[in-house]
Each structure stands twice: as C-alpha cells, then as structure tokens.
C-alpha cells in the first residue's frame, strides 16, 4: 500500500493547495495524526468504539439470486449494517477521537447524501462535541430524512444555496468556516479528498473494511477475490476496500463512477472517466472542468456521487493502471437498486447501486471461476423518497 510522499503526493496527485490561513492548521493536524498513529492506545480506543458502538466487524454475504446466468459468486461486504447505515462512521470515529485528542471544542463536516453528516453528528453526540454540518440546499431537500436525523442527534445543519447547491458547494462552505475558526474547530472531511493529510488519514480509518473482507474471504472461500468493486464519488469506501488488495496483482480493482445522463452529457459526475487534471478543494486530481479550468456543474441521481472531483490516490491508481474506473448511468443504477431489493431483500444506497450494476455484469463475464467482492457501502432508506418519486413519474408516463 502506497503512502504519500513528504509533500502529500501520490505520484503527481495530491498536495496542499490551500490559503495561507490553513497551512498551519494542516501542519498541526499532520503532527497530531503522526503522533496518534504511532500510539497503540489511540488505535485500541478506535477499534473498541468500532466494535462496541459501530458493530464491527461487518459480515460478508453471498448473493444468491442477483444474476440469472451462470457466473462468479458475488459477495457483499455489508457496510450497510454498521451503526448509522454506511461506511462513513469508520472515518468519523477516527477523526473525532483525533479532534478530542487535539483539544478541539467544535466539529464541522460537509455532506452530500447525508450519511457522513449523520455519522459525524452521531459521534459528536457520543463524545459531547458540538457539530455543524454544511449541506447543499438541493441535497437537503432530496435527503430530508437524514437532515432530520442529524438534527435529532443535536447537529446544526446549514443549507448552502451557492452554485449548484450540492456537495461541491457544501465542501466550499465548510472550508471557509474552518479557515475562519481554525483555533477551536476540527473539520471532519468525509472522503479521501482535500489537502494532505486528509486523503491519507481517511484511507487509514477506512481500510478496516478491506482488512476484514480479506480475512473473511480467505476463511470462507480459501482464496482472494478475482475482482473488487466499489462506487467512487470522492472515493473513501473504494479506497477502504481496495487498500487490502492493492499489493495483490491477481486481484483486479474496479471503481464505478456515476455518469449521470451519460459521459457525453454535461450532466455527469464521472471525474476519472470524463475529467482532466486540475486543482479542487486543496489537492491535484482529476476534475470535471472547462477548458479554462472552471469547475463544471455535475449531476448524479445519487447525492453522494454528485461531486466534480475524486481523491488523489484514485487518480494515482488510474494512471498507474492498478485500478480501472468505469461509468454507470442513472438508469442502470436505478435498475440495480430495484433488482437488489427484489432479488436479495436488501435496499442499497443509490451510490452503492452503481457498483452493484457493474458487479452483475462482471460476474457473468468472469464465470463460475471468478469471485467478485463488492463493497455494499450503505443502505438505501435515505433514497426511498427519490426513487418513489421517479417510479410514480414513470407510472404516470406509461398510464
């Protein structure tokens, strides 16, 4: 597994592109992180909270009816069964414990689908630290259930009206707030994005997913998977499961992006498939941008993938050829959402449905000799209002 270099780069991606006011804050964070990561007591507390509060280890589950043709077994890593319903809690536990260790009195976070906001509010309530969450106004509307839960947990939710009022704009606002109050505020970033050390730190807190899955597959199947599949927006759930398999040349890694209405459309969120190299939110990576370097508006049916950039380590894995990144559009993701519910009794997050759509195709291509591991990164309760509205609209058109 690669570590970033001293400047925070994975190859040519990463770095620290931030205003001067945040340079010292990042230096303090990196020093605190280095100290905590070297302290066995910190990791003991982290894993104790994951065990007793989050419910780890999460199980693996072999799908029985998801494909009709003969194909490779599809095995899901059930991050949807974590407390709060997604992988996000793994990271918020680690960062909140670090914030507490640093003596910070307030936590802020950005959120798109709301799962990171809920996870941050949850650990804030557990530790008694006030939480402010920044969320695009569009996402506040389409993820109203999670907004209510955040408020129930004591967090203050700030709807962001600027730009497209989605995840990019919420992240911009959270960075501005952190810059204004670095002395008492800890910014819990929800993905492997941002300036160094955030991409590395978040990966280290999420790699518990891959470590567990690797051991579980070896115990149950006696072998490693042929393929590992995960959806990619910013990319934390994917890096979390990829981390345990990057050094295994026989295991193919697949990141599934949200192509929205299609790669050729302006309504896409597939940064690795349709973007170019640029700077966004403090790091150098692939970005959906104009020829003049202006960040483009994005679209995905899934709020958590509706982001114009991607973590720098994913950019490195793409360029090195170690991982492949493929697009799945809204229609394909919706079909997988329904099929997973009808055939397996599991309602997945719309984000995860993108990975499921590609995994079904891949399992048929691999045949019975393959073994496809999928990170089921979240449950779909939060998306039922969105999907129900689309279903009703479709029924009306067909009537």
């Amino acid at each position: 597994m690669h570590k970033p270099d001293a400047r925070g780069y994975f190859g040519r991606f990463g770095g620290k592109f931030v205003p001067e006011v945040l340079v010292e804050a990042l230096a303090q964070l990196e020093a605190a992180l280095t100290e905590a990561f070297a302290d066995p007591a910190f990791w003991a507390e982290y894993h104790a909270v994951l065990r007793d509060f989050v419910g780890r280890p999460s199980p693996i589950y072999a799908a029985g009816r998801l494909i009709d043709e003969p194909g490779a077994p599809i095995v899901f890593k059930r991050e949807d069964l974590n407390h709060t319903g997604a992988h996000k809690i793994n990271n918020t536990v680690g960062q909140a414990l670090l914030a507490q260790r640093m003596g910070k009195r307030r936590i802020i976070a950005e959120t798109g689908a709301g799962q990171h906001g809920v996870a941050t509010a949850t650990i804030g309530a557990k530790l008694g630290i006030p939480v402010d969450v920044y969320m695009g106004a569009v996402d506040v509307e389409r993820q109203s259930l999670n907004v209510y839960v955040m408020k129930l947990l004591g967090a203050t939710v700030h709807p962001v009206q600027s730009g497209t009022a989605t995840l990019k704009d919420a992240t911009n606002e959270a960075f501005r707030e952190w810059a204004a109050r670095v002395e008492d505020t800890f910014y819990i970033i929800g993905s492997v994005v941002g300036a160094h050390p955030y991409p590395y730190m978040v990966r280290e807190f999420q790699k518990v997913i891959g470590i567990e899955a690797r051991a579980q597959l070896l115990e149950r199947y006696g072998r490693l998977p042929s393929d590992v599949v995960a959806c990619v927006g910013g990319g934390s759930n994917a890096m979390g499961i990829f981390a345990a398999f990057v050094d295994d040349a026989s295991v193919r890694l697949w990141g599934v992006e949200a192509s929205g209405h299609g790669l050729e459309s302006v309504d896409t969120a597939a940064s690795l498939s349709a973007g170019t190299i640029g700077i966004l939110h403090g790091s150098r990576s692939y970005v959906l941008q104009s020829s003049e370097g202006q960040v483009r508006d994005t679209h995905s049916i899934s709020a958590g993938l509706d982001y114009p950039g991607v973590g720098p380590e994913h950019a490195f894995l793409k360029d090195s050829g170690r991982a492949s990144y493929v697009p799945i559009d809204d229609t394909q993701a919706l079909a997988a959402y329904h099929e997973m519910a009808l055939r397996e009794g599991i309602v997945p997050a719309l984000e995860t449905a993108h990975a499921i759509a590609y995994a079904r195709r891949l399992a048929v291509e691999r045949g019975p000799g393959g073994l496809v591991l999928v990170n089921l990164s979240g449950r779909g309760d939060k998306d039922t209002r969105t999907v129900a509205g689309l279903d009703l609209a479709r029924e009306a058109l067909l009537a």
Side-chain angles (χ1 to χ4, degrees), residues 5-18:
D5 66 21
R7 299 181 305 136
Y9 279 82
F10 298 92
R12 57 180 176 152
F13 302 102
K16 300 179 187 178
F17 297 86
V18 295

Side-chain angles (χ1 to χ4, degrees), residues 21-68:
V21 68
L22 291 179
V23 172
E24 179 57 28
L26 288 170
Q28 290 177 8
L29 174 60
E30 188 172 2
L33 178 70
T34 301
E35 181 184 89
F37 280 13
D39 184 357
F42 175 80
W43 288 113
E45 184 178 13
Y46 169 72
H47 287 293
V49 175
L50 291 189
R51 181 191 66 222
D52 301 333
F53 186 66
V54 176
R56 301 206 73 91
S58 63
I60 58 172
Y61 165 75
R65 302 180 56 243
L66 195 55
I67 57 175
D68 295 320

Side-chain angles (χ1 to χ4, degrees), residues 207-392:
K207 72 180 184 182
V208 64
I209 302 169
I211 291 170
E212 286 179 5
R214 183 188 178 92
Q216 289 165 325
L217 284 179
L218 288 173
E219 179 182 8
R220 186 172 301 182
Y221 294 94
R223 62 186 175 116
L224 294 176
S226 57
D227 303 85
V228 178
V229 184
C231 63
V232 175
S236 65
N237 93 87
M239 281 313 312
I241 200 163
F242 286 179
F245 302 98
V246 164
D247 294 332
D248 298 299
S250 64
V251 179
R252 298 188 66 177
L253 307 177
W254 300 92
V256 184
E257 296 192 287
S259 63
H261 294 156
L263 289 182
E264 304 307 317
S265 165
V266 294
D267 295 326
T268 188
S271 305
L272 288 162
S273 300
T276 53
I277 296 173
I279 308 296
L280 180 66
H281 295 143
S283 71
R284 187 173 194 258
S285 187
Y286 281 94
V287 180
L288 290 167
Q289 57 189 343
S290 70
S291 57
E292 292 80 28
Q294 296 300 307
V295 177
R296 284 168 43 189
D297 294 344
T298 58
H299 163 77
S300 170
I301 194 172
S302 56
L305 303 184
D306 199 353
Y307 182 68
V310 66
E313 191 168 5
H314 282 295
F316 171 74
L317 292 176
K318 169 187 165 70
D319 271 19
S320 68
R322 180 61 191 93
S324 301
Y325 295 87
V326 295
I328 287 290
D329 65 28
D330 287 353
T331 301
Q332 293 166 323
L334 272 171
Y337 179 94
H338 284 96
E339 288 296 302
M340 188 72 173
L342 287 169
R343 292 172 176 252
E344 297 294 340
I346 298 170
V347 180
L350 279 172
E351 290 78 14
T352 311
H354 288 73
I356 295 168
Y358 188 72
R360 294 179 73 201
R361 183 190 312 168
L362 189 63
V364 174
E365 291 176 4
R366 290 287 177 266
L371 179 61
V372 178
L373 173 65
V374 183
N375 194 5
L376 210 170
S377 54
R379 66 177 181 236
D381 310 45
K382 65 184 180 60
D383 296 314
T384 51
R385 181 181 173 189
T386 296
V387 177
L390 291 168
D391 287 347
L392 287 171

